[in-house]
Amino acid sequence: MKFYRLTPEQRRQILITEGIKLEDIDQHILERLDKLSENVVGQLRLPLGVVQNLCVNGKKYWVPMAVEEPSVVAAANHGANIFAKNGGVQSNSKRQGIYGQIVLKVDEYFSLVDLEKEFPELIDDANQKFASLIRHGGGTRKITANQKDDLVYLKVLVDPAEAMGANKTNSILEFLGAKLENFAGVEEKLFAILSNYPSQLTTARVELDPKTVGGQKVAKRVALLSKIGWDNPYRAVTNNKGIMNGVDAVLLATGNDYRAIESATAVLASQDGQYRSLSKWTMKDNKLIGTLTLPMAIGVVGGSIKARHDVQQSFSILGNKITSKDLSEIIVSTGLANNLAALLAISTVGIQAGHMKLQARNVVAELDANDKEKQLVLDKMVTEKNYSESHAQELLQKLREEK
Ligand code: MEV
């Protein structure tokens, strides 16, 4: 039988007979996961952390973050605390829809002008066929087209309402693509699929009193670092990685497609031909102003969101009535919080001090020691600012000798 047709237990047995070490897993969980994905043999878990007090548009949120790096959650909390002292984040979203693309190969009898006359009817047809999307507040909104030689590029804007909308958009595009194949002069439809081009843009903005970030000098340094990120791709990509630390962690926790956001974000960062920082920090009227705009093709329903208990837990943390607009604004605000914390760290003491202190917990967790010994070793590592594995071993040995 084909591997993918086997039960997850049968697949596990095959791997085990090849000497692969698999983690034990509860049978119920394994069966549930098998319904979510393909060739399932186990699960990969991540710690779920929270931001305690992210204030967005006057509302306070607990924000779930799924990430293995402690400093990412710590940074988001640090940034969010500073934002809270300054009245929180102001955020807004333009959730007009996501793009789809249909490309047609045409001959000399094709007329773009005639095709454009069909667009209102095509939109009506799509909205009748996919009426449930209309009932949820979405629908096919707009079609535009341009021609280059014998290829016609159609851009279709689909409002997916509260979902990310990838599946629905692909179904709509395939439906429209099949209709377009019958149009005069169309030789064939080359493809019909959604485009991950940046859409559903969300902006977060903060105005900070320099006193809350360590004073004028630090605030000016953050603005200078931001300018360097604008001018220099080597810095820009690292700045943006710091933003995505926060963004991806919330996307993962809420069952959203982080790959789609990552690829769209790279386009946004290089829209004028040079790769640049996605965030901007400037000094104005003695305030440090931070802004960040990101493409947020995300949803609060659809995909595996309902089927995953871990993701439902995240929505409960966020407050169950959350909309896709709220979630977009929370995600971009978290990205801005992570970004500020990173800029503050690198413009003052550097990131390693905080980073290594947090990583020390991982080093200590691996020691063959009891909880009390682990805590004593950790305390000593922090006081001595030495976080290496070998030092942890030495401290443990010393501790036992002293007993
Ligand atoms: C590390 O994960 C992220 C940072 O490098 C981001 C930055 O430099 O802005 C600290």
Side-chain angles (χ1 to χ4, degrees):
M1 206 192 308
K2 292 230 165 53
F3 190 74
Y4 73 92
R5 286 193 191 278
L6 299 176
T7 65
E9 200 41 64
Q10 288 169 325
R11 284 185 216 119
R12 283 171 65 86
Q13 283 314 317
I14 292 177
L15 268 64
I16 289 165
T17 51
E18 287 191 16
I20 294 168
K21 290 192 182 75
L22 293 177
E23 229 197 349
D24 289 343
I25 182 167
D26 183 283
Q27 200 57 33
H28 289 321
I29 296 177
L30 191 60
E31 278 161 21
R32 195 148 44 75
L33 294 178
D34 192 45
K35 295 193 176 73
L36 282 179
S37 192
E38 185 77 1
N39 279 359
V40 168
V41 293
Q43 67 180 326
L44 184 78
R45 281 160 295 175
L46 282 173
L48 185 73
V50 283
V51 181
Q52 197 188 357
N53 184 17
L54 185 75
C55 184
V56 184
N57 296 334
K59 231 179 135 189
K60 281 184 186 173
Y61 296 95
W62 289 96
V63 184
M65 299 182 89
V67 62
E68 77 295 347
E69 217 183 313
S71 59
V72 170
V73 184
N77 274 285
H78 184 200
N81 270 331
I82 296 173
F83 293 170
K85 286 182 194 148
N86 289 276
V89 189
Q90 293 305 313
S91 183
N92 59 74
S93 316
K94 290 192 195 112
R95 298 193 70 77
Q96 290 146 330
I98 64 172
Y99 296 112
Q101 197 179 33
I102 303 172
V103 179
L104 307 170
K105 191 164 183 312
V106 298
D107 62 23
E108 65 272 31
Y109 302 108
F110 172 81
S111 156
L112 185 62
V113 175
D114 287 348
L115 180 73
E116 282 167 341
K117 288 184 192 141
E118 301 291 317
F119 290 168
E121 200 179 317
L122 283 169
I123 292 174
D124 280 351
D125 288 350
N127 284 335
Q128 266 172 43
K129 171 91 182 159
F130 297 91
S132 70
L133 185 55
I134 302 282
R135 284 197 294 279
H136 286 106
T140 302
R141 298 281 186 243
K142 196 173 169 187
I143 306 179
T144 52
N146 66 290
Q147 182 169 6
K148 189 162 190 294
D149 306 325
D150 61 349
L151 295 181
V152 173
Y153 294 81
L154 288 104
K155 203 163 80 183
V156 182
L157 186 69
V158 177
D159 177 354
E162 288 302 299
M164 182 233 177
N167 283 334
K168 187 62 68 128
T169 302
N170 283 333
S171 303
I172 293 172
L173 289 164
E174 287 184 9
F175 167 79
L176 291 173
K179 285 192 161 264
L180 287 162
E181 272 184 322
N182 300 323
F183 191 77
V186 174
E187 276 180 14
E188 60 174 316
K189 171 204 77 198
L190 293 178
F191 64 85
I193 190 149
L194 76 81
S195 162
N196 289 108
Y197 197 82
S199 64
Q200 310 282 56
L201 296 182
T202 297
T203 298
R205 183 178 190 279
V206 289
E207 266 192 43
L208 310 179
D209 181 337
K211 279 195 218 110
T212 60
V213 296
Q216 278 279 348
K217 207 169 148 204
V218 178
K220 282 188 181 154
R221 186 59 77 89
V222 168
L224 178 59
L225 278 183
S226 179
K227 186 188 166 311
I228 294 170
W230 182 257
D231 290 340
N232 179 282
Y234 279 82
R235 175 57 208 153
V237 69
T238 317
N239 178 79
N240 295 345
K241 192 273 181 180
I243 293 170
M244 297 318 281
N245 273 344
V247 168
D248 282 352
V250 188
L251 289 170
L252 266 169
T254 55
N256 273 293
D257 183 348
Y258 55 91
R259 289 87 62 203
I261 305 297
E262 288 277 358
S263 59
T265 294
V267 173
L268 207 64
S270 45
Q271 58 188 335
D272 72 358
Q274 182 184 319
Y275 187 91
R276 298 185 189 280
S277 288
L278 290 154
S279 57
K280 240 188 192 152
W281 294 91
T282 49
M283 288 298 292
K284 195 171 172 231
D285 300 333
N286 199 30
K287 294 261 179 189
L288 178 63
I289 318 278
T291 56
L292 173 65
T293 298
L294 293 178
M296 277 291 124
I298 56 128
V300 294
V301 294
S304 63
I305 288 176
K306 208 169 169 189
R308 286 181 55 193
H309 298 181
D310 50 355
V311 167
Q312 283 307 314
Q313 170 180 252
S314 295
F315 278 99
S316 180
I317 290 171
L318 282 160
N320 277 319
K321 292 222 161 55
I322 203 142
T323 63
S324 56
K325 179 177 177 305
D326 297 331
L327 183 56
S328 310
E329 293 169 355
I330 289 167
I331 294 172
V332 180
S333 302
T334 308
L336 192 62
N338 274 83
N339 181 226
L340 175 67
L343 293 179
L344 286 175
I346 61 175
S347 59
T348 55
V349 291
I351 65 153
Q352 282 310 81
H355 207 86
M356 292 313 289
K357 206 156 129 184
L358 290 166
Q359 290 295 350
R361 287 205 302 235
N362 295 345
V363 173
V364 168
E366 290 305 310
L367 290 177
D368 189 9
N370 63 36
D371 287 350
K372 195 166 167 220
E373 287 173 325
K374 284 181 183 172
Q375 190 56 51
L376 287 168
V377 170
L378 182 61
D379 292 346
K380 209 104 187 108
M381 287 170 87
V382 171
T383 343
E384 293 177 7
K385 294 195 171 60
N386 184 342
Y387 308 110
S388 73
E389 212 180 306
S390 56
H391 189 55
Q393 292 289 1
E394 274 165 29
L395 288 172
L396 179 64
Q397 207 181 333
K398 223 165 130 200
L399 194 78
R400 287 178 174 167
E401 281 164 9
E402 280 166 8
K403 259 191 185 170

